[in-house]
Amino acid sequence: MVYRIAVAESEEIQQRLTRLEERLTAIEHRLGIAPATPAPAPVVVAPPPPPPPPMPAPPIGGVRPKPATSMESLIGAHWLNRIGIAALLVGAAFFLKYAFENEWIGPAARVGIGLAAGAALLVWSDRFHLRGHRMFAHSLEVVAVGVLYLSLWAASETYSLIGNGAAFTGMVIVTAALVGLALRHESEFLAGLALTGGFLTPVLLSTGVNREVALFTYVALLDIAALVLVILYPWVRALAVAFFGTLFLWIGWFEAFYSASQRARTIGFITLFLLLFAAVPLFRRWEERGIAGAALLLVPFANAFVYFGEISSMVSDSSRLAKYAVALAAFFVVVAAALRLRGEEREDLTAVHIALALGFVTIAIPLQFHQLWITIGWLAEAAALLALSRTASGAAGTAFRALGAFALAAGVVRLLLIDRFHPLHPIWNMRALTYAIAVAVFSGVAVGSVRFRKLATAMLNLLALIGLTAEVSDIFRGSPITRAFAWSALWMIYGAALMVIGFRRGNAFLRWLALILLGLTIFKVFLYDLSELERVYRILSFIALGVLLLAISFAYQRKWIGAQRT
């Protein structure tokens, strides 16, 4: 645009100079003045050529955006690729089957063809990797690995051409080659494929003989290899393959070969596996989100509870299991502290380990203790988890709230339905202490949570009333009539106190709780006290109830509600 304006202005100036020169020549001709030697025409300097259009800046990191994939390219590049490979494999399989049936190819040649074909496919796939055709290369690698593993398996198990040791060594070499390719091309797919093949090797070459040390040593080496890969690259999927591969091999071995005489050695191996997977968050800073991030949070939970489940299958003594649970709680506290000291940016990882520690404390309580202390322990843990949920954010805060709510619900259910108290003294006893702790926890929820304030307020008043009623029952246990009257008196006093607090705080919810309690008291007085109590207690019940109801009615008539803050 600037260039065009400059050209236009230059042409306009040239035209004006030409017209002025013509006018001067005409004037000189009329006056008879000889024209002077004409001055050379002004040289008009042409403006510089416009600069070339700027080249588009390369994308950050040197990676160009991927072109949109159309349905045509999806069919041509991907679907036809899969179908073509499948057709090729089916055709080759039919040809080999035909050749085998007609004895064209002997066992050694069959295995040799398989090994050669697998190796060739791996080399071919590497060339496609270098050209950027990752999807096609992955397809070839899957076929190559399958052919190599099956050829080695057939050489050992079907044709007995080589021993199990040689076949095992060959499969390890294939796995190592795949790991090398994964590192060379930075391919998580290849890493997962290599680990899958590695964990399948003992299954393919199983002899039905118990070789625990050899098996779990090999599994530990695979897990260490997976850990190294995860340290170098954030390959959470490869980590998941290693975890589930380890679990499945352990389950298979345990079902077939485990005996009590092997317990100490087996616990040592599974403890090693626990430590390997628990160390994953400590070796690198994790920034992954989405599915990979969620998997990273699930691995510690799976690792811890699978380990405890394995221990539980071997140790039946509850006291010993409680010690394992406490040790796990302490271990995960140490991991959480290490993450905190390192300055881990993902707070949810630290929170997950704290939640695990508290979870194992919850498990240890019923295993180590009995009756009342179980309820108290669960209530105390609920208080700790709910307090942590207020300081944590995001997924960690949600997890703490869910775990805290579960522990609190378990404690309340146990308190109301399972625990049986036989106090020797009123008020100062374990029942009063347990109810007081439960009321305190719900009071904290009512103060700190707007969302659950009404539910927590209702529960703390319900538990307080149940606990007080139980204490009154024990005080007057010698006289059923006196005890029934004491219940009515307690409920009326408690309802009146709730109503006063509701008026003073302008809290309609507390007033409704008071009205519900007073309604229950009215039913009791008219349906039970009227017929069962002695004359003096009956008179006192009705007079007290009447005075209380009149006082509340007067308060409502004076509209004290409106005078208070809402």
Side-chain angles (χ1 to χ4, degrees):
M1 179 63 72
V2 175
Y3 172 75
R4 293 179 178 177
I5 292 174
V7 171
E9 290 179 351
S10 176
E11 292 177 352
E12 184 178 358
I13 292 172
Q14 181 65 35
Q15 291 175 0
R16 289 184 179 180
L17 289 175
T18 303
R19 287 196 294 271
L20 286 175
E21 185 178 357
E22 291 176 351
R23 288 185 178 181
L24 287 175
T25 302
I27 293 172
E28 288 175 352
H29 179 73
R30 290 180 182 179
L31 295 177
I33 301 174
T37 305
V43 178
V44 179
V45 180
M55 296 295 292
I60 298 174
V63 180
R64 298 190 179 277
K66 293 177 64 177
T69 303
S70 64
M71 179 58 69
E72 178 186 356
S73 83
L74 182 65
I75 294 173
H78 299 280
W79 294 0
L80 295 185
N81 170 276
R82 305 300 196 275
I83 297 171
I85 290 176
L88 179 62
L89 289 176
V90 170
F94 277 121
F95 169 75
L96 291 175
K97 182 175 182 296
Y98 184 75
F100 296 161
E101 289 174 349
N102 288 275
E103 298 294 336
W104 293 355
I105 303 174
R110 299 172 192 176
V111 171
I113 290 173
L115 293 175
L121 286 172
L122 270 186
V123 173
W124 196 25
S125 70
D126 187 59
R127 296 183 62 184
F128 280 103
H129 262 297
L130 296 176
R131 296 176 182 177
H133 304 297
R134 295 175 64 89
M135 188 67 67
F136 187 74
H138 288 166
S139 303
L140 293 178
E141 285 150 357
V142 171
V143 177
V145 170
V147 169
L148 288 172
Y149 275 109
L150 290 176
S151 298
L152 290 169
W153 175 82
S156 173
E157 302 297 320
T158 303
Y159 302 123
S160 300
L161 297 175
I162 58 176
N164 269 18
F168 182 84
T169 303
M171 291 185 181
V172 170
I173 292 173
V174 174
T175 301
L178 276 178
V179 171
L181 287 175
L183 293 174
R184 178 182 180 183
H185 300 298
E186 299 183 7
S187 171
E188 184 177 9
F189 174 83
L190 282 178
L193 184 62
L195 291 172
T196 301
F199 283 104
L200 283 176
T201 296
V203 178
L204 293 173
L205 298 178
S206 175
T207 59
V209 178
N210 182 14
R211 296 177 179 173
E212 180 187 11
V213 175
L215 172 64
F216 289 143
T217 301
Y218 170 74
V219 171
L221 292 175
L222 280 179
D223 289 339
I224 292 172
L227 187 60
V228 171
L229 290 174
V230 170
I231 292 172
L232 296 174
Y233 301 99
W235 291 341
V236 178
R237 296 175 182 85
L239 179 67
V241 170
F243 177 80
F244 287 109
T246 303
L247 175 60
F248 291 146
L249 285 180
W250 186 87
I251 292 174
W253 173 87
F254 185 85
E255 292 296 328
F257 302 112
Y258 175 74
S259 62
S261 62
Q262 301 169 281
R263 180 166 58 194
R265 185 169 60 240
T266 305
I267 290 177
F269 274 117
I270 62 175
T271 302
L272 173 61
F273 300 148
L274 169 79
L275 295 176
L276 288 175
F277 289 106
V280 169
L282 299 174
F283 285 112
R284 63 175 295 121
R285 293 184 179 273
W286 295 91
E287 300 177 356
E288 281 64 32
R289 301 294 175 183
I291 296 176
L296 185 64
L297 295 178
L298 290 175
V299 165
F301 279 105
N303 186 29
F305 287 106
V306 163
Y307 174 78
F308 193 74
E310 292 169 343
I311 292 292
S312 300
S313 65
M314 293 182 285
V315 177
S316 57
D317 181 49
S318 60
S319 180
R320 289 190 63 188
L321 280 177
K323 292 180 175 62
Y324 277 106
V326 172
L328 283 170
F331 172 72
F332 285 111
V333 167
V334 171
V335 176
L339 289 171
R340 179 70 69 179
L341 289 175
R342 192 186 67 179
E344 177 62 49
E345 297 179 0
R346 288 193 56 171
E347 293 184 357
D348 50 358
L349 272 178
T350 304
V352 160
H353 289 84
I354 295 175
L356 280 171
L358 292 171
F360 280 108
V361 170
T362 304
I363 293 172
I365 290 170
L367 290 173
Q368 183 66 38
F369 303 104
H370 301 283
Q371 298 179 353
L372 309 181
W373 287 107
I374 297 175
T375 304
I376 292 174
W378 284 353
L379 292 174
E381 185 181 359
L385 285 167
L386 293 173
L388 284 173
S389 70
R390 298 192 63 188
T391 61
S393 59
T398 302
F400 283 146
R401 280 191 294 274
L403 291 172
F406 178 79
L408 183 56
V412 170
V413 169
R414 185 175 180 86
L415 174 62
L416 296 178
L417 302 179
I418 299 176
D419 289 340
R420 293 294 179 265
F421 299 93
H422 304 285
L424 299 177
H425 307 283
I427 306 302
W428 299 105
N429 55 61
M430 290 299 299
R431 178 179 59 200
L433 174 63
T434 308
Y435 273 96
I437 293 174
V439 169
V441 175
F442 277 108
S443 299
V445 176
V447 171
S449 174
V450 176
R451 182 179 179 184
F452 299 103
R453 179 167 297 164
K454 291 184 178 180
L455 176 61
T457 302
M459 286 301 302
L460 74 89
N461 282 285
L462 175 63
L463 292 174
L465 187 61
I466 292 174
L468 290 172
T469 302
E471 296 301 321
V472 168
S473 297
D474 284 349
I475 292 173
F476 299 101
R477 70 177 64 180
S479 173
I481 295 176
T482 306
R483 184 173 61 217
F485 172 75
W487 287 359
S488 299
L490 171 66
W491 295 359
M492 282 188 275
I493 293 171
Y494 198 98
L498 273 181
M499 186 64 71
V500 170
I501 296 173
F503 276 127
R504 292 183 64 84
R505 292 180 174 272
N507 191 320
F509 185 72
L510 287 179
R511 295 195 299 271
W512 271 106
L513 290 179
L515 289 174
I516 292 171
L517 179 56
L518 291 173
L520 293 175
T521 308
I522 291 170
F523 276 104
K524 180 181 180 298
V525 169
F526 279 91
L527 297 179
Y528 181 82
D529 295 358
L530 182 62
S531 60
E532 298 296 331
L533 295 185
E534 294 180 356
R535 181 175 298 176
V536 176
Y537 291 118
R538 187 188 309 156
I539 293 170
L540 290 176
S541 292
F542 275 90
I543 290 176
L545 180 62
V547 170
L548 178 59
L549 295 179
L550 287 174
I552 294 173
S553 175
F554 180 74
Y556 274 99
Q557 291 174 18
R558 290 291 301 272
K559 298 182 179 179
W560 286 357
I561 303 172
Q564 305 300 324
R565 57 186 176 87
T566 58

